[in-house]
Amino acid sequence: MPRTTVLVPALVLALLLAEGGGGMGRASAAAAELTITAIPVPELKAVFGRVESRTVVPARARIGGTIRQIGVTEGSEVKEGQAIALVVDDKLALELNAAEAKIKELRSQLANARTELDRNQQLLTRGVVSQSRLDQLQTQFDVAANQVAAAEADKAVIAQRATEGAIVAPATGRVLTVPVTLGSVILAGEEVARIASGQYYLRLSLPERHAADIKENDTVLIGQRGLSPAKGGDRTTARPGRIVKIYPEISDGRVIADVEVAGLGDYFVNERTLVWIPVGRRAVIAVPPEAVTTRHGIDYIRVASPDGPLDVAVILGETFPDNGGTRVEVLTGLKDGDRIVLPGSTK
């Protein structure tokens, strides 16, 4: 027999030993074993949640007039009481002038009534005029004094209306819309700006078939910003949130739920983000990711058997967090009660 015919079978045998029997052969004992049991995990459904503000308050004009100043734009941060626009009514200046002229007129009448009253008081002491005449003059003086007080109050009302041309922010928050422009004419009560003043939250719209599966205080997972799965990430990188309210009315086959989550203050109002919500539970076979090895595009898990460890080909599912770590679901290849061999130093 030629020498080459002896070397070829020996080389094939060495390769088979090095690869552990092509993924199904026996392997030497590993350092640790883990018994696999089916564990219940939440059945999660991926939906899009919309960022909303708990309260949106309008900043309204208190008087009618022409807008002369606008100090904010969409996206501006404002503080409660901050002046954001100015409305000017030119008629108020004319009304103030008229009120001032009226006050001067009434003050002249009051001065005249006072002079007449003082003169008749002196004549009464001399017995020239009667007491009834003095009482009549006293009444005229009181009427004139009251008229001056009323005119001054009317002037104060007009002055107050002039100061109400300054439109202030009703609450601290972010300006969403400014539906007016400089020079536009508005009436009292019209909206000048809308301000998102409340805490941000996520609003979910779910199919009606999940109405009985979701509950208040359930934990949900919120992805990163971005509509695509590439930007939104997966469940392992998601952050938790909590369902705080489920609305009892179902509209157009959708049930509405609100989710509270920290750190949404830098989001846009009405921005959508990926959310995973629990809609049930299922039993899965899951293993630590380090128990899986991949060779030639096929995933293997080493399973303990009476004849020694065997590499079993498996099909993997999704990865999910578990007790501070992660687990990967095994769809086929393992069953409840199998003992897997974790990688480690061989004995």
Side-chain angles (χ1 to χ4, degrees):
M1 180 181 297
R3 186 176 180 180
T4 55
T5 60
V6 177
L7 292 178
V8 171
L11 181 59
V12 172
L13 178 60
L15 290 175
L16 290 175
L17 291 175
E19 294 187 2
M24 293 296 294
R26 301 173 185 175
S28 57
E33 293 183 357
L34 178 65
T35 301
I36 297 301
T37 57
I39 59 175
V41 297
E43 181 73 26
L44 299 180
K45 177 179 177 62
V47 297
F48 285 107
R50 188 175 70 250
V51 178
E52 294 191 2
S53 175
R54 187 67 62 187
T55 56
V56 177
V57 294
R60 299 185 182 275
R62 292 176 289 178
I63 64 172
T66 305
I67 295 182
R68 294 290 176 81
Q69 296 179 12
I70 299 178
V72 295
T73 185
E74 290 83 353
S76 299
E77 296 286 342
V78 295
K79 300 292 184 181
E80 182 178 357
Q82 174 183 338
I84 61 177
L86 178 64
V87 176
V88 175
D89 186 356
D90 295 332
K91 296 189 300 296
L92 292 178
L94 301 177
E95 291 178 4
L96 280 174
N97 293 335
E100 184 65 32
K102 183 67 174 179
I103 290 174
K104 290 180 179 180
E105 175 189 356
L106 294 175
R107 283 176 178 171
S108 298
Q109 295 177 5
L110 178 63
N112 186 49
R114 180 182 296 277
T115 302
E116 190 69 19
L117 178 62
D118 292 341
R119 181 183 302 113
N120 281 268
Q121 283 178 342
Q122 295 175 4
L123 293 175
L124 179 64
T125 58
R126 301 174 187 176
V128 176
V129 296
S130 64
Q131 182 64 41
S132 61
R133 174 60 179 170
L134 185 64
D135 293 341
Q136 182 181 5
L137 294 174
Q138 181 66 49
T139 301
Q140 292 177 357
F141 173 80
D142 293 340
V143 170
N146 291 334
Q147 288 177 341
V148 170
E152 290 177 344
D154 290 340
K155 178 185 176 182
V157 170
I158 299 172
Q160 177 63 29
R161 288 177 57 196
T163 62
E164 290 178 351
I167 302 173
V168 299
T172 300
R174 179 182 297 177
V175 177
L176 298 181
T177 57
V178 182
V180 295
T181 58
L182 285 175
S184 57
V185 177
I186 62 174
L187 300 177
E190 283 195 42
E191 188 177 280
V192 176
R194 292 173 59 247
I195 301 171
S197 61
Q199 179 183 1
Y200 283 8
Y201 67 98
L202 285 174
R203 172 154 291 181
L204 308 180
S205 177
L206 310 173
E208 183 179 349
R209 64 180 181 273
H210 298 309
D213 298 324
I214 60 174
K215 300 178 180 61
E216 290 188 3
N217 295 320
D218 279 352
T219 299
V220 301
L221 299 177
I222 294 93
Q224 306 300 317
R225 298 178 70 167
L227 294 181
S228 66
K231 292 183 178 180
D234 54 22
R235 292 167 51 185
T236 58
T237 60
R239 51 180 169 170
R242 183 172 62 91
I243 297 178
V244 294
K245 188 176 184 62
I246 300 174
Y247 292 87
E249 182 180 9
I250 295 178
S251 178
D252 297 329
R254 313 290 291 183
V255 58
I256 306 300
D258 292 344
V259 174
E260 192 175 77
V261 56
L264 290 178
D266 58 342
Y267 280 60
F268 293 101
V269 175
N270 293 330
E271 180 178 358
R272 292 187 295 166
T273 187
L274 194 61
V275 180
W276 290 270
I277 63 169
V279 293
R281 300 185 72 85
R282 61 189 177 95
V284 300
I285 301 293
V287 299
E290 60 268 18
V292 181
T293 58
T294 303
R295 295 193 297 272
H296 307 298
I298 301 176
D299 297 316
Y300 295 94
I301 295 178
R302 184 158 293 180
V303 179
S305 70
D307 298 329
L310 298 175
D311 286 343
V312 177
V314 295
I315 297 177
L316 303 179
E318 61 183 0
T319 301
F320 54 89
D322 179 64
N323 295 330
T326 58
R327 291 260 177 158
V328 58
E329 181 182 359
V330 179
L331 300 178
T332 62
L334 295 182
K335 64 180 182 299
D336 194 9
D338 280 346
R339 292 181 297 116
I340 66 172
V341 181
L342 298 177
S345 58
T346 57
K347 297 181 179 177

